């Protein structure tokens, strides 16, 4: 492990594990998207692999040192991924590996979305990832939940996670969990086929605000295709040397598919003649041309083949200084360049803040525009650069395929709340308090309107990735999941080591409340290493390429007794199981025909999707238990979306022939009914 440090290096950290090397990488480890969220740590650590992370955790746990973990560095709240203690920079966890057999991809926790999108575009597939890709880290985005341009189709980013590798404070490597439980080192994500996309980034002068607000309201009220998305931003930018801020409205229009017969962006097209360029056009959608430069009949909206370009375009949509990005005649940024494209290049200070809304009515849209205008009046007298308030609508069907109950951040089918984002930038530290309080007032005013319009509720969970820390509590973020998460913290971090890290920290449950017989947030992959007085090297990461064959045979039953007897429910299939990544995949048959399987088994819980050649699929969620004869069987529930349709039991590696009868399967299911109540329904 290479450790980069400045002259404030603390000798308390010298515990025999690390080689100390002075390097300029200290600055890279500490700098963030804006100056105000960058810290000056006493020491910066850049681990190479999982064993390095285990060593770091052992030292931190021993000395109870304050620390922070940084992936991409786009956290806007101070001390969330920065610290004056130990800064851990995950940049070397940058491996991306696609598994063609399972259609899953392993992504290192140090990757940024630009790198992921570029790699995935080469194979015609994509993931549910960040809308602003340029330099934004994968880890923070996913662990917060992850809203995406694909959310209307596939849910949140975290809904598409098949496995998470995490190092706990005691050095164990587990599958599952978030940054309240340890340091995440790798994600395994579902992928989706990616074809061409169609749309355009548009910018309108402020004088056309009324027309743009009308077009936004029309889109929200009328458009129901999950492929169609808009992100609108009401912005006021004060350029250096200018007397007044420039007022504009940008609207990113994306249709995730070829140009549709019915144009979802028709109302915006009616005012595109006044749209201005937004700088460099990495998507090749000709948005850098003014109308006078376009050929007669040329369309503002175009198809692009690379979804990475769409997300880079979305990054420019929020870029606070587009002039810093490559312009005409310049080469596009390489992945390594784009990692730093908007990280601390301008010494700006700033914050995100949000309220959560389920809809945008015209009065709420009007309030967004008005509150942005009110905030902009302080730009010149208080050294401000940018005031931006976002409108990003989502369909109420966006969570329909989300697995209920197993993620830390609560989100349920039919109760979709997305962030209404405020984003301010300013120059001087002496104005920090003013702009934070200004944002608090703006968000309070918008929430009042949203409540009056029925666009939010008092129990809507706050999206931590955009939350303003000063007016957000850990209870606001996790709501009804908090008590369960407290118990998990007590179970997996009893010494409260992770309290020394930043972010919305989940407290430990009281000792009397800490019993937890079953959980789905964190599950063991490797055994705890023995530690004597002598230092024992931490365990190495399990091999990632080992494949263990499994043959499964069993039955499914229906909760609805009228369905029983429609078929005998028998199924059998073979799987390959990778213990290192927990991934399972295989194929088999039942009465409905042939199917493929992909999912995960971590040694305790199993979740998989059974997908038939005809295009339909069923989700299975269960756990391993003894079959009473020295073997293992799986029992759980199966269904689709939020609806469990029945139960199942599968015997692992049975002898040849049918080793389990329908009657025996039903007996096991009946006897394990209480056990199955502890299994969270939903496919991870």
């Amino acid at each position: 492990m290479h450790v980069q440090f400045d002259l404030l290096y603390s000798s308390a950290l010298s515990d025999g594990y690390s080689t100390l090397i002075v390097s300029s990488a200290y600055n890279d480890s500490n700098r963030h998207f804006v100056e105000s969220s960058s810290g000056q740590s006493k020491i910066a650590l850049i681990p190479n692999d999982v064993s390095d992370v285990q060593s770091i955790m052992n030292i931190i746990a021993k000395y109870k040192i304050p620390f922070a973990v940084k992936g991409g560095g786009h956290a806007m709240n101070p001390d969330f991924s920065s610290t004056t203690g130990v800064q851990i920079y995950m940049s070397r966890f940058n491996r991306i590996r696609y598994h063609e057999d399972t259609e899953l991809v392993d992504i290192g926790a140090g990757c940024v979305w630009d790198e992921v999108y570029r790699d995935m575009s080469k194979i015609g597939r994509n993931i549910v990832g960040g809308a602003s890709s340029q330099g934004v880290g994968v880890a923070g985005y996913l662990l917060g939940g992850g809203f995406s341009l694909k959310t209307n189709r596939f849910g949140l980013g975290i809904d598409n996670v098949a496995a998470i590798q995490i190092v706990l404070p005691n050095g164990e490597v587990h599958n599952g969990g978030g940054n309240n439980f340890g340091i995440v080192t790798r994600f395994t994500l579902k992928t989706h086929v990616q074809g061409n996309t169609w749309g355009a980034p548009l910018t309108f002068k402020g004088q056309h605000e009324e027309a743009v607000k009308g077009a936004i309201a029309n889109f929200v009220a009328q458009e129901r295709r999950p492929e169609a998305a808009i992100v609108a931003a009401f912005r006021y930018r004060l350029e250096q040397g200018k007397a007044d801020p420039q007022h504009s409205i940008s609207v990113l229009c994306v249709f995730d598919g070829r140009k549709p017969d019915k144009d979802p962006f028709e109302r915006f097209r009616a005012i595109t003649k006044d749209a201005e360029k937004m700088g460099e056009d990495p998507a090749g959608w000709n948005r850098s041309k003014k109308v006078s430069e376009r050929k007669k009949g040329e369309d503002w909206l175009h198809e692009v083949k690379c979804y990475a370009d769409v997300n880079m375009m979305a990054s420019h949509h929020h870029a606070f200084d587009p002039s810093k990005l490559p312009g005409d005649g310049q080469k596009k940024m390489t992945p390594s360049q784009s990692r730093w494209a908007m990280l601390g290049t301008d010494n700006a200070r700033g914050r995100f803040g949000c309220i959560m809304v389920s809809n945008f009515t015209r009065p709420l849209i009007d309030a967004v525009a008005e509150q942005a205008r009110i905030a902009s009046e302080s730009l010149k007298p208080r050294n401000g650069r940018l005031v931006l308030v976002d409108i990003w609508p989502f369909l109420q069907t966006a969570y329909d395929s989300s697995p209920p109950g197993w993620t830390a951040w609560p989100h349920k089918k039919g109760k979709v709340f997305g962030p209404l984002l405020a984003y301010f930038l300013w120059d001087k530290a002496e104005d920090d308090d003013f702009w934070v309080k200004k944002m608090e007032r703006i968000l309070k005013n918008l929430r009042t309107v949203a409540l009056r319009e029925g666009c939010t509720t008092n129990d809507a969970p706050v999206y931590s990735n955009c939350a303003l820390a000063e007016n957000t509590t850990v209870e606001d973020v996790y709501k009804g999941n908090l008590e369960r998460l407290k118990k998990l913290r007590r179970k997996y971090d009893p010494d409260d080591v992770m309290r020394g890290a930043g972010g919305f920290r989940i407290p430990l449950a009281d000792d009397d409340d800490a019993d937890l017989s079953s959980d789905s947030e964190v599950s063991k992959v490797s055994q705890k290493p023995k530690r004597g007085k002598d230092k024992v090297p931490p365990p190495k990461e399990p091999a990632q390429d080992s494949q263990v064959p499994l043959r499964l045979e069993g039955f499914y039953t229906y909760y609805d007794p009228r369905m029983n007897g429609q078929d005998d429910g028998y199924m059998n299939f073979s799987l390959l199981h990778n213990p290192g990544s927990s991934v399972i995949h295989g194929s088999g048959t039942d009465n409905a025909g042939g199917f493929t399987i992909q999912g995960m088994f971590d040694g305790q819980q199993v979740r998989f999707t059974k997908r038939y050649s005809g295009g339909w699929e069923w989700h299975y969620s269960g756990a391993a238990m003894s079959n009473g004869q020295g073997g293992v069987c799986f029992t759980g529930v199966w269904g689709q979306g939020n609806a469990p349709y029945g139960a199942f039991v599968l015997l692992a590696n049975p002898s040849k022939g049918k080793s389990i009868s329908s009657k025996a399967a039903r007996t096991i299911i009946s006897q394990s009914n209480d056990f199955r109540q502890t299994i969270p329904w939903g496919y991870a």
Side-chain angles (χ1 to χ4, degrees):
M1 176 177 65
H2 300 291
V3 182
Q4 283 74 27
F5 64 98
D6 66 1
L7 295 178
L8 296 175
Y9 163 66
S10 170
S11 61
L13 287 171
S14 181
D15 201 33
Y17 282 107
S18 306
T19 302
L20 304 178
I21 304 171
V22 178
S23 169
S24 62
Y26 169 85
N27 293 324
D28 292 344
S29 301
N30 278 276
R31 71 172 172 176
H32 281 63
F33 179 44
V34 289
E35 181 184 19
S36 52
S37 58
S38 300
Q40 178 127 12
S41 65
K42 289 184 172 61
I43 190 169
L45 307 173
I46 307 179
N48 289 302
D49 53 29
V50 171
S51 63
D52 281 354
V53 176
Q54 291 174 302
S55 299
I56 292 170
M57 288 301 287
N58 290 334
I59 297 170
I60 287 174
K62 179 177 180 178
Y63 295 103
K64 295 293 180 67
I65 305 164
F67 69 101
V69 183
K70 179 185 132 179
H74 272 248
M76 294 287 274
N77 287 310
D79 302 322
F80 268 45
S81 60
S82 59
T83 182
T84 56
V86 176
Q87 182 72 60
I88 302 170
Y89 183 31
M90 301 294 288
S91 61
R92 291 176 182 153
F93 285 76
N94 58 358
R95 186 183 183 191
I96 301 169
R97 182 183 180 189
Y98 177 66
H99 302 276
E100 189 172 356
D101 52 352
T102 63
E103 298 179 344
L104 299 174
V105 61
D106 295 331
I107 301 174
C111 289
V112 295
W113 285 116
D114 341 26
E115 298 166 332
V116 178
Y117 289 133
R118 291 292 172 191
D119 277 16
M120 298 308 296
S121 68
K122 296 174 184 176
I123 57 174
R125 300 195 69 83
N126 206 355
I127 38 75
V128 178
S132 295
S133 64
Q134 214 156 22
V136 176
V138 167
Y141 166 88
L142 287 174
L143 294 173
F147 285 92
S148 169
L149 291 169
K150 289 180 172 288
T151 288
N152 281 335
R153 298 185 65 192
F154 303 114
L156 300 179
I158 197 66
D159 296 333
N160 290 266
V161 172
I164 298 176
Q165 184 183 74
I166 185 172
V167 177
L168 297 178
N170 62 4
E172 293 180 8
V173 180
H174 281 234
N175 179 62
N179 59 353
N180 267 279
F181 301 96
I183 298 178
V184 173
T185 56
R186 187 183 68 235
F187 300 88
T188 301
L189 304 182
K190 302 176 189 176
T191 68
H192 307 279
V193 174
Q194 182 63 61
N196 286 11
T197 59
W198 182 77
L202 307 174
T203 304
F204 305 92
K205 290 182 178 179
Q207 67 195 61
H208 299 287
E209 184 178 277
E210 285 300 314
V212 177
K213 289 191 297 185
I216 295 171
N218 177 264
F219 178 90
V220 173
Q222 301 296 326
E223 185 55 54
R224 292 295 178 268
R225 285 169 290 184
E227 295 86 358
I230 63 167
V231 186
F234 293 79
R235 74 178 72 223
Y236 291 82
R237 183 190 305 280
L238 183 61
E239 303 288 353
Q240 189 172 7
K242 299 287 186 179
D244 299 305
Q246 179 184 355
H247 176 204
S248 63
I249 309 103
S250 60
V251 184
L252 172 63
C253 303
V254 175
F255 189 85
D256 193 5
R258 292 190 175 276
K259 180 178 179 180
D261 293 334
K262 182 181 178 182
D263 185 356
F265 313 121
E266 183 177 4
R267 288 285 294 268
F268 297 104
R269 292 161 64 85
I271 41 179
T272 52
K273 62 183 180 180
D274 296 303
E276 295 181 344
K277 65 180 182 180
M278 278 185 63
E280 166 70 354
D281 179 23
W285 289 3
N286 298 320
R287 65 187 170 94
S288 61
K289 291 184 181 180
K290 294 182 179 179
V291 171
S292 59
E293 297 171 337
R294 294 177 182 276
K295 298 177 182 178
K296 186 176 180 180
E298 186 177 5
D299 200 342
W300 276 94
L301 286 84
H302 295 266
E303 288 186 3
V304 291
K305 296 181 179 179
C306 179
Y307 200 83
D309 291 334
V310 176
N311 286 275
M312 186 175 288
M313 178 191 62
S315 304
H316 293 192
H317 174 78
H318 277 155
F320 61 82
D321 190 354
S323 65
K324 297 288 183 183
L325 303 172
D328 293 338
Q330 292 181 289
K331 296 180 179 179
K332 292 182 180 180
M333 284 179 285
T334 65
S336 60
Q337 291 170 328
S338 65
R339 179 183 285 273
W340 303 110
M342 294 184 287
L343 270 182
T345 57
D346 239 12
N347 297 319
R349 307 182 70 80
R351 290 296 183 86
F352 288 151
C354 72
I355 65 170
M356 304 303 290
V357 298
S358 59
N359 189 25
F360 286 92
T361 61
R362 179 57 191 262
L364 181 55
I365 295 170
D366 288 339
V368 167
E370 176 65 9
Q371 292 301 313
R373 183 194 63 77
I374 291 171
S376 74
E377 294 173 352
S378 300
L379 283 171
K380 192 171 181 65
R382 299 308 297 249
N383 303 299
R385 292 194 188 189
L386 174 72
V387 164
L388 181 151
V389 187
D390 238 6
I391 290 177
W392 190 358
F394 295 95
L395 297 175
Q396 282 302 305
T397 55
Y399 297 163
D400 279 7
S401 60
S402 300
W406 79 275
T407 60
W409 193 64
H411 57 292
K412 298 179 180 179
K413 179 180 180 180
K415 294 185 177 181
V416 177
F417 293 91
L420 190 167
L421 171 75
Y423 172 25
F424 294 175
L425 289 169
W426 60 93
D427 282 324
K428 297 183 179 180
E430 64 196 56
D431 293 309
D432 285 359
D433 188 58
F434 171 84
W435 282 108
V436 168
K437 284 183 167 54
K438 173 69 74 173
M439 181 174 285
E440 288 180 324
R441 287 194 295 272
I442 292 298
L443 293 173
K444 182 179 179 181
N445 293 341
L446 288 171
R447 190 170 185 277
T448 299
V449 176
L451 283 168
R452 186 175 66 236
E453 288 293 303
C455 295
T456 193
T457 64
N458 290 322
D459 62 351
V462 177
Y463 182 48
S464 63
N465 288 3
C466 298
L468 181 65
E470 282 79 359
N471 69 348
T472 306
T473 66
V474 68
E475 290 82 6
D476 294 331
V477 174
Y478 297 110
K479 293 294 183 180
N481 286 352
L482 185 59
E483 291 306 312
R484 175 169 59 92
L485 294 170
K486 286 181 179 179
K487 294 177 182 179
L488 289 171
R489 284 269 289 114
R490 169 67 68 180
K491 180 177 181 179
Y492 290 102
D493 184 16
D495 296 327
D496 208 10
V497 174
M498 294 305 296
R499 187 176 181 84
F504 293 105
R505 290 293 106 191
I506 297 170
L508 300 186
D510 295 336
D511 286 332
D512 294 339
D513 299 327
D515 179 52
L516 204 66
S517 59
S518 175
D519 64 79
S520 57
E521 308 297 333
V522 186
S523 49
K524 190 183 296 185
V525 168
S526 62
Q527 296 296 319
K528 180 178 179 180
K530 295 180 180 179
R531 306 282 182 184
K533 293 182 179 180
D534 297 329
K535 299 179 181 65
V536 178
K540 294 294 183 180
E541 182 178 3
Q544 300 301 305
D545 297 317
S546 60
Q547 300 281 335
V548 178
L550 288 174
R551 191 169 75 84
L552 297 173
E553 179 189 41
F555 290 84
Y556 54 85
T557 62
Y558 298 91
Y559 287 151
D560 185 346
R562 293 171 298 178
M563 294 299 296
N564 288 318
Q566 298 296 315
D567 55 59
D568 65 6
Y570 176 73
M571 55 182 168
N572 69 85
F573 49 90
S574 297
L575 293 176
L576 287 176
H577 175 222
N578 185 328
S581 66
S582 300
V583 170
I584 55 175
H585 62 96
S587 60
T589 59
D590 60 19
N591 289 300
F595 54 80
T596 60
I597 282 179
Q598 63 180 38
M600 61 168 287
F601 170 50
D602 60 18
Q604 297 178 6
Q605 295 188 345
V606 62
R607 294 186 179 94
F608 61 85
T609 295
K610 189 165 67 170
R611 185 172 291 112
Y612 292 87
S613 56
W616 72 93
E617 61 186 35
W618 299 112
H619 295 166
Y620 285 69
S621 179
M625 61 182 290
S626 170
N627 67 358
Q629 300 176 356
V632 175
C633 69
F634 302 99
T635 184
V637 292
W638 64 275
Q640 197 171 57
N642 277 355
Y645 288 5
F648 73 91
V649 62
L650 291 165
L651 187 66
N653 294 325
S655 58
K656 293 182 179 180
K658 288 191 177 182
S659 299
I660 183 171
S661 66
S662 176
K663 181 179 179 180
R666 292 174 188 276
T667 300
I668 293 173
I669 289 171
S670 175
Q671 291 175 346
S672 62
N673 185 61
D674 292 338
F675 168 75
R676 287 187 295 104
Q677 299 307 311
T678 68
I679 302 170
W681 165 244
Y683 173 70

